[in-house]
Amino acid sequence: MKQILFKNTNISYSDTGKGTAIVLLHGFLESKGMWDFYIPEFAKKNRVIAIDLLGHGETECLSYVQTMEDNADAVHAVLSELRIRRAIFVGHSMGGYVALAFAELYPDTIKGLVLLNSTARADSEERKTNRDRAIKAVKQSFMNFVSLSIANLFSESNRERLSLEIETVKKEALKTPLQGIVASLEGMKIRQDREVLLHLTPYPKLLILGEKDPVLNYEETKEQIENTTVKLVTFPDGHMSHIENQDQLLIVLLAFFKSI
């Protein structure tokens, strides 16, 4: 584990392997530990940077609202420290929102982009209301909120099969401080729509979705890439493709990295 100081906040990251840089960005209630299965495989041919986003893992909270731009700036600070000029970005869920914010702020740094169980669209009014409900719920009962939130990310058919994995994810999620959770929910709620980046940017892009994702509507999310060069990979399960479809996802990502 390595750290840098960004705006008086410790940002935690790992740096493994050599070659073209790959930046891995985890989702809400996750940490860079979500990539532990993948990093040794990716690092055989690439330099792999996994970063704990603001208020998650071993990275401290920055403020009471942590925007996707704040996170993107923190990621940029890590890459500047490591003197990485260009990289392929892989963002899971909220990590995808951060990758898109980064792509808008630092377009010359992006060599390729993977949105894993993520969307370029802003929150709908309904989603914003749900974020507010989530903020109230986590303040009322932290453990209940985290436990329910994690279980609901998996497709129903996998919740029994992957019960041990779900417990592991819950344990990690419970380490996320309350301020980190609230600040991230506030930041996701106000994030900008960046669908235009899927249409106008020149680098290779890949969208990976779960057909039974309880969080993202599959058909609606798929609409974003109509008339674009973005490639689509669909898995038959939920929001946690890195666990629900682990081996298949590894093959898909390695093929994408090789193609760039």
Side-chain angles (χ1 to χ4, degrees):
M1 185 201 77
K2 300 175 181 181
Q3 286 190 332
I4 65 156
L5 203 61
F6 166 75
K7 295 185 178 178
N8 293 319
T9 302
N10 279 314
I11 310 294
S12 177
Y13 67 94
S14 64
D15 179 6
T16 316
K18 292 179 180 177
T20 299
I22 295 166
V23 177
L24 302 176
L25 303 175
H26 64 78
F28 178 59
L29 295 178
E30 296 171 331
S31 72
K32 61 182 180 296
M34 72 164 274
W35 304 108
D36 284 353
F37 168 79
Y38 296 90
I39 289 172
E41 295 298 323
F42 296 166
K44 287 175 181 175
K45 293 186 177 177
N46 294 89
R47 184 178 184 182
V48 186
I49 317 301
I51 302 171
D52 279 337
L53 297 173
L54 296 171
H56 285 73
E58 292 163 298
T59 288
E60 296 169 347
C61 295
L62 178 70
S63 64
Y64 289 99
V65 178
Q66 288 167 174
T67 65
M68 301 306 102
E69 292 83 0
D70 290 333
N71 277 290
D73 287 339
V75 170
H76 186 256
V78 172
L79 299 190
S80 297
E81 173 78 12
L82 299 176
R83 297 183 181 177
I84 292 170
R85 290 184 178 178
R86 294 186 78 213
I88 301 166
F89 282 70
V90 182
H92 179 243
S93 197
M94 183 181 79
Y97 310 155
V98 174
L100 287 161
F102 188 100
E104 186 171 281
L105 292 167
Y106 308 101
D108 295 340
T109 311
I110 306 278
K111 193 169 183 178
L113 175 64
V114 180
L115 297 179
L116 174 60
N117 313 115
S118 194
T119 176
R121 289 179 175 168
D123 271 1
S124 63
E125 289 308 312
E126 184 186 354
R127 288 294 292 273
K128 286 177 182 176
T129 302
N130 287 340
R131 301 269 188 218
D132 287 332
R133 285 193 188 122
I135 289 165
K136 280 184 186 171
V138 73
K139 286 178 178 176
Q140 284 170 356
S141 179
F142 181 85
M143 284 195 73
N144 267 359
F145 171 81
V146 171
S147 293
L148 283 171
S149 295
I150 297 302
N152 289 338
L153 296 174
F154 292 79
S155 67
E156 279 188 46
S157 55
N158 280 334
R159 287 174 198 169
E160 195 173 322
R161 179 175 74 86
L162 296 171
S163 57
L164 288 176
E165 289 85 347
I166 291 170
E167 281 309 309
T168 302
V169 177
K170 280 182 190 174
K171 278 180 190 170
E172 278 304 302
L174 285 166
K175 295 176 186 174
T176 316
L178 178 61
Q179 184 187 334
I181 293 175
V182 172
S184 297
L185 286 165
E186 293 283 10
M188 288 190 284
K189 186 176 74 175
I190 60 171
R191 76 181 188 281
Q192 294 175 33
D193 190 298
R194 293 192 165 93
E195 193 174 337
V196 67
L197 294 179
L198 301 181
H199 291 259
L200 299 182
T201 49
Y203 41 78
K205 293 172 286 292
L206 174 64
L207 177 64
I208 302 172
L209 299 176
E211 212 165 3
K212 295 175 191 159
D213 191 325
V215 180
L216 288 177
N217 181 287
Y218 173 71
E219 293 298 334
E220 282 177 18
T221 311
K222 197 173 68 163
E223 279 172 14
Q224 296 168 72
I225 61 167
E226 285 175 10
N227 305 315
T228 73
T229 58
V230 182
K231 290 180 181 172
L232 173 68
V233 170
T234 300
F235 290 126
D237 299 293
H239 193 69
M240 304 292 269
S241 295
H242 61 290
I243 296 172
E244 294 177 272
N245 310 100
Q246 190 179 70
D247 294 334
Q248 302 98 309
L249 178 62
L250 177 63
I251 292 165
V252 166
L253 290 175
L254 287 174
F256 181 74
F257 302 154
K258 194 177 178 182
S259 73
I260 295 176

